[in-house]
């Protein structure tokens, strides 16, 4: 048969396009990051991330409840402590902003998954992700502190802890410590594949976590590497990670795709601060249709293979998705 092939047949109407659509985005796959600070009634705008705020615990609870009402599946909490020191001891203070926010959100917002970021960079005065010897980040002493932080988050009621530090061996250490204390149901989402990226710039303003000297190349991954990402992710799964994350998202969609295809574990991608800021800046200038660009971006991350997307757009996207469903 020599009839002309006509792929456009399947693109004629909205209903036809919906029928053959391969990838869907849904609000319960979205994770919404929140930056929790001290005080009450605080809602401090982050200048490089329009629409993102540092929130006191009471405001964080309101934001989390609003996100749940929009249909968002989870929040991811970062902390801005009252004080910082060389070892980041505020990271395991049960009265710190993150544990307090966890307790309040778990109590007030049923069905919302609460994930906590586990790292020291928001808590150390030098802004590095671990303990230092001169300018060198010490691995094992840092892991010991990360474990303390993860336990405090679990005790507060976190459903998932998400170590983002990229120290070696921390997933196994956290898993063992959690199980040893009866927290075998607390899941680990490891930032298994975290690149040393320029796209974290705005986050460091939001979380007040910019390193005071040097950079994060000695522990975050070289953007040139792909096989190494598979080794990192496989190691974390072996150590007990329930879910793995690739970060940033869009410049690393090839990695998202490989990790999901080769490991077959729940895979998250973090659409990071710089990716968000780029879209916001272009939209503010009238150069892009923000809603369309946002949905296309999030869809592309799903299409690459991510099951879960961490995004500052979570609430906006959830609201739009809800309005679209009949
Ligand atoms: C480290 C951490 C970072 C981000 C999430 N966890 C920053 C870094 O590694 O410097 C970046 C997230 C973003 O850019 O949105 N705790």
């Amino acid at each position: 048969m020599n009839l002309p092939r006509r792929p456009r047949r399947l693109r004629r109407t909205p209903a036809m396009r919906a029928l053959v659509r391969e990838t869907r985005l849904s609000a319960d796959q979205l994770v919404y990051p929140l930056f929790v600070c001290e005080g009450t009634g605080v809602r401090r705008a982050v200048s490089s991330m329009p629409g993102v705020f540092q929130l006191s615990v009471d405001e964080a609870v309101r934001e989390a409840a609003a996100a749940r009402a929009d249909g968002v599946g989870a929040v991811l909490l970062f902390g801005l402590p009252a004080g910082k020191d060389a070892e980041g001891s505020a990271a395991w203070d049960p009265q710190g902003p993150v544990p307090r926010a966890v307790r309040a959100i778990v109590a007030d917002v049923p069905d919302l998954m609460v994930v906590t970021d586990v790292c020291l960079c928001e808590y150390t005065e030098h802004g590095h992700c671990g303990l230092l010897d001169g300018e060198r980040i010490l691995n094992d002493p840092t892991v010991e502190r990360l474990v303390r932080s993860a336990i405090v988050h679990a005790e507060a009621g976190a459903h998932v802890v998400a170590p983002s530090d990229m120290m070696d061996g921390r997933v196994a250490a956290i898993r063992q410590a959690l199980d040893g204390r009866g927290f075998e149901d607390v899941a680990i989402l490891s930032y298994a594949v975290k690149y040393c990226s320029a796209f974290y710039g705005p986050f460091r303003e939001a979380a007040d976590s910019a390193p005071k000297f040097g950079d994060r190349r000695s522990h975050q991954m070289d953007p040139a590497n792909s096989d190494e990402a598979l080794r990192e992710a496989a190691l974390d799964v072996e150590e007990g990670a329930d879910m793995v994350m690739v970060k940033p998202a869009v410049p690393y969609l090839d990695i998202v795709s490989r990790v999901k295809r080769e490991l077959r574990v729940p895979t998250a991608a973090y659409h990071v601060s710089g990716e968000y800021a780029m879209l916001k800046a272009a939209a503010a200038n009238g150069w892009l249709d923000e809603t369309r660009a946002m949905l296309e971006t999030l869809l592309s991350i799903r299409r690459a293979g991510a099951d879960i997307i961490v995004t500052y757009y979570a609430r906006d996207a959830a609201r739009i998705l809800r309005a679209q469903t009949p």
Side-chain angles (χ1 to χ4, degrees), residues 25 38 55 58 72 82 108 121 143 149 153 163 174 177 191 196 220 227 229 246 250 266 270 272 281 291 308 321:
L25 187 61
E38 295 289 340
L55 306 166
D58 55 322
V72 169
D108 282 21
C121 66
V143 168
S149 179
H153 296 174
I174 290 172
Y191 289 65
C196 187
Q220 298 182 349
D227 287 343
V246 175
V250 177
Y270 197 143
V272 300
T291 298
I308 303 160
L321 292 168

Side-chain angles (χ1 to χ4, degrees), residues 48-61:
S48 51
M49 300 174 73
V52 174
F53 300 84
Q54 296 173 344
L55 306 166
S56 51
V57 170
D58 55 322
E59 290 289 326
V61 175

